[in-house]
Amino acid sequence: MVAPGGGGGGGGGGPARWPSEEELDIVRKKVVEISGRDEREVRVAACPYRICPLGAHIDHQGGIVTAMTINYGVLLGFVPSNDSEVLLRSGQFEGVIRFRVDDLQKPIDNPENINWESYARGAVYALQNSGYDLRKGIIGYISGVKGLDSSGLSSSAAAGIAYLLSLENVNDLVVSSVDNIQLDKSIENKYLGLENGILDPSAILLSRYGYLTFMDCKTASPSYVYFSELSKSQQPQGHLPFKILLAFSGLQHNLPKKRGYNTRVFECKEAARALLHASGCEEASNILRNVDSVVYEAQKCVLEENLSRRAEHYFSEMKRVAKVTLVMLPRNG
């Protein structure tokens, strides 16, 4: 996902390749303006947005979700700093970020203080707390798609992963996609205080062009199915048997600043606790994935109204994913 200054990179191919050379050139030129460096030195991290056709909002309960990336996303152009300083500008937000990668980052204690700078600092925090040695910073320019930030396409995870990839690149760190999923989860869970699961970083880092990704969020294991199997016919190379419509209401939500998301996660865990207690399985951790569907049907009467809604959503989404799994027969790999 990191393209050198002279190359194309990213995107996964197909008729609507992302990022385009024009988009890459714009980002490179912005970095040159900021850093004064040669354009050939500029590297670009490309992190696409994602959609979740089935299994929404059950990843934090260890559910099985489906995901795919789209041909829009976040581009972070950067060059290595001469020292440990990070200097960043944004295409969507005003101001300049300046801090050092050798400064100790501490979790944000007030959600109201979260802004676009937080994701860069959060990436440093995640790497620091996982024992990675950061000596070099970056000088960079980050840009998403106007109007699509905080719109439900996981722009925050795309930004967090872009910062992780860039810092790893300039510090010569070799980090697997699986480890980067957990590092991004650390940004969200530990630094920002958002109790989400691994759907977003998994989709961004593990998706393949032309395939639907099935992610088991309890075991963190992906499976894939080629879309031509869904249509039961072979498509011309580079063409998918469907089109995707993104319907955006115009309402944007910055989840780390909203208390409602964490409240819903808490209610899911409380529902799991009540169901496990009623079935005599109190030793299992309180996530709904640990509740058998037969137990749920037998014991759901013990749940209060709010908890009942959370559990019903989880089990209904799991049923929908299971039906698609039977039809599409995903292949491991």
Side-chain angles (χ1 to χ4, degrees), residues 1 47-52 55-60 65-69 119 152-161 177 180-182 184-185 188-189 194-207 213 215 217 255-256 261:
M1 286 189 185
C47 295
Y49 298 148
R50 67 100 188 105
I51 60 173
C52 177
H57 300 295
I58 64 172
D59 58 326
H60 51 74
V65 300
T66 65
M68 58 185 294
T69 51
Y119 292 89
L153 299 176
S154 194
S155 57
S156 59
I161 291 170
S177 294
N180 270 321
I181 289 170
Q182 294 305 318
D184 185 71
K185 191 171 186 290
E188 302 275 9
N189 293 177
L194 182 67
E195 296 295 326
N196 59 340
I198 62 171
L199 164 62
D200 297 346
S202 298
I204 293 168
L205 288 164
L206 300 180
S207 289
T213 303
M215 188 69 187
C217 295
L255 291 183
Y261 186 91

Side-chain angles (χ1 to χ4, degrees), residues 88-97 115-117:
L88 296 166
R89 291 185 183 272
S90 168
Q92 278 70 50
F93 304 99
E94 296 182 357
V96 179
I97 292 175
N115 54 40
W116 75 277
E117 176 178 0

